[in-house]
Amino acid sequence: SFFLSPFFFIVPLVALTVNGWLLTVIAAMVANEKSLGYVLVGLLPHGIVELPAFIIGEAAALSFGAMAMLALFSPQRRAQFLPNFKQNLKYLALALALLVPAAIIETYFTPWLLGRLG
């Protein structure tokens, strides 16, 4: 969504909304079938890292997309485009760096915890 945001500004907003909606729907279904504790054990270990990473990445995409649109239509903003792009690439790199430990936790630790719950 980062690189699509200048063309389709709505992409980061849709990504955030759809992710939140899917998380809510699936968590509610699992909570009804298992328990709320099962959902929390399944989400919290990696979600503590993954959700902020996702939000940081989408915020960078929104900022980049907004600046691209402003630079396109406002000559005064064009000088701000490259510094904004570089700053948002740093936020994107941070988000990607946070996703690595989240993926490791989700792959190895979360199944182990869920297996102990039965």
Side-chain angles (χ1 to χ4, degrees):
S1 70
F2 184 83
F3 291 107
L4 287 177
S5 64
F7 308 107
F8 306 105
F9 189 70
I10 194 92
V11 171
L13 296 174
V14 170
L16 285 166
T17 303
V18 169
N19 187 20
W21 180 79
L22 281 172
L23 182 62
T24 302
V25 168
I26 292 171
M29 290 176 9
V30 172
N32 284 334
E33 189 173 311
K34 295 275 190 176
S35 70
L36 179 59
Y38 191 85
V39 170
L40 292 176
V41 167
L43 289 177
L44 286 180
H46 71 277
I48 289 173
V49 180
E50 183 178 356
L51 291 177
F54 183 65
I55 292 168
I56 289 168
E58 294 304 324
L62 281 169
S63 175
F64 171 60
M67 180 52 70
M69 287 292 116
L70 287 172
L72 183 64
F73 295 110
S74 173
Q76 298 90 341
R77 298 287 186 136
R78 289 192 184 131
Q80 297 172 343
F81 177 76
L82 191 58
N84 178 274
F85 178 69
K86 289 178 181 179
Q87 181 65 39
N88 284 312
L89 277 181
K90 290 177 187 175
Y91 285 124
L92 185 61
L94 171 64
L96 291 173
L98 287 172
L99 287 175
V100 171
I104 292 169
I105 293 168
E106 185 173 8
T107 302
Y108 298 107
F109 188 63
T110 300
W112 177 79
L113 280 176
L114 291 175
R116 302 192 97 220
L117 285 178

